[in-house]
Amino acid sequence: MASPFRFGIVGCGVIAPTHIGAIGQIEGTEVVALADTLIEKARALGTKHGIDSLYSSCTELLRNPAVDGVSICTPSGTHADLAIEALRAGKHVIIEKPMDISMEACDRLIRAADECKKVVAVISQHRFDAGTIAARDALHEGKPGRLVLADASVKWYRTQDYYDSGDWRGTWALDGGGALMNQGVHTVDLLQWLAGNVKSVYALTRTAAHERIEVEDLVVAALEFENGAIGTITASTACYPGHAVRLDLYGTEGSIVIEADRLKSMHFKSGEKIEGEAAIEHALKVAQGGTSAVKDDTTAAAATASDPAAVWGDSHRAQIEDFLKAVHTGSTPVVDAREGRKPVAVILAIYRSAKEGRRIDLSEMSE
């Protein structure tokens, strides 16, 4: 029988319990250590989940020989440095979204992963949602025809208290951006994963409804994809009371709509039409053919539109299982470091476009 894979979690904030819960559902894995610069946060989380090895820094946690892999759940601007430290300590690494907040940091992390020959995965758990899997399957089969339009909408709401609750929130240095980098990164990733690589962007941003933040709470961007399609991204934390995330994909032969992280409809000129509960059942059937870890859970997805503490678990579990498969078999995880870089490049191109008032080609993001 294989030895259990033992995780340490660095950062004991809002998302850490989701990692603990997801890992706890996977046979042969466990969380054995926690670290947070505020040791009382690690102590409180450890008490709740029966974890005794507690540390006030990532460096201390990495000295624990019982830790095989590390989940990085800290503020966005610290991700690359902590992940690189873990890699050089011989640990495999899972990084919460986004991978980091600069191209330099992302590229530095990719080089470290290559050098250390350890597995790195960046959380983009909605790639493992049943609706996403069904949409990608239909796109691969060519059912919608040639893609012509792809739209993404993240119209959420965050209170002023949310931004005031942590001195890193709403800052360029640690949050890396606002509604798009923090709340919208998952949807940006799904958009480019389903619709194809982004060629160029043109954007406008605003700080429209919040005070004491450096970053945007509203962004609208026009996109051109390498395959010739065009599209839009709208992201906000100023849309009271908060609305479900939506992805719309339109081709010459039909359309696919994902809403609230589940398949809403598929309509094709071939005569195939699936919507409502039938669409959810179809998505689950397709997804279960590819991964046994996917379930449909829309309650938390809807709640997250207005509450940052509402988080998902099943799709996190599916992604962590994918990470462990890569560790044990030498395969590449679905969202490795190079995949994790892609949505960050799109987001930073959007910010650059808004700042410079011009269209930005994604090729410029490698300069």
Side-chain angles (χ1 to χ4, degrees), residues 169-229:
R169 293 193 185 278
T171 66
W172 288 111
L174 290 178
D175 221 355
L180 193 59
M181 182 66 87
N182 191 311
Q183 284 76 26
V185 61
H186 285 308
T187 309
V188 173
D189 181 59
L190 292 189
L191 182 66
Q192 61 87 32
W193 195 53
L194 294 172
N197 291 334
V198 176
K199 180 180 179 181
S200 67
V201 302
Y202 193 95
L204 294 171
T205 62
R206 296 284 187 274
T207 307
H210 295 92
E211 301 174 345
R212 298 182 295 281
I213 63 173
E214 302 169 356
V215 298
E216 88 289 349
D217 58 16
L218 177 63
V219 56
V220 178
L223 287 73
E224 180 183 10
F225 295 88
E226 289 181 358
N227 58 20

Side-chain angles (χ1 to χ4, degrees), residues 128-151:
F128 295 81
D129 289 346
T132 306
I133 294 168
R136 189 166 169 87
D137 185 72
L139 288 161
H140 280 182
E141 291 180 10
K143 290 184 176 181
R146 177 172 53 84
L147 196 68
V148 295
L149 179 65
D151 293 326

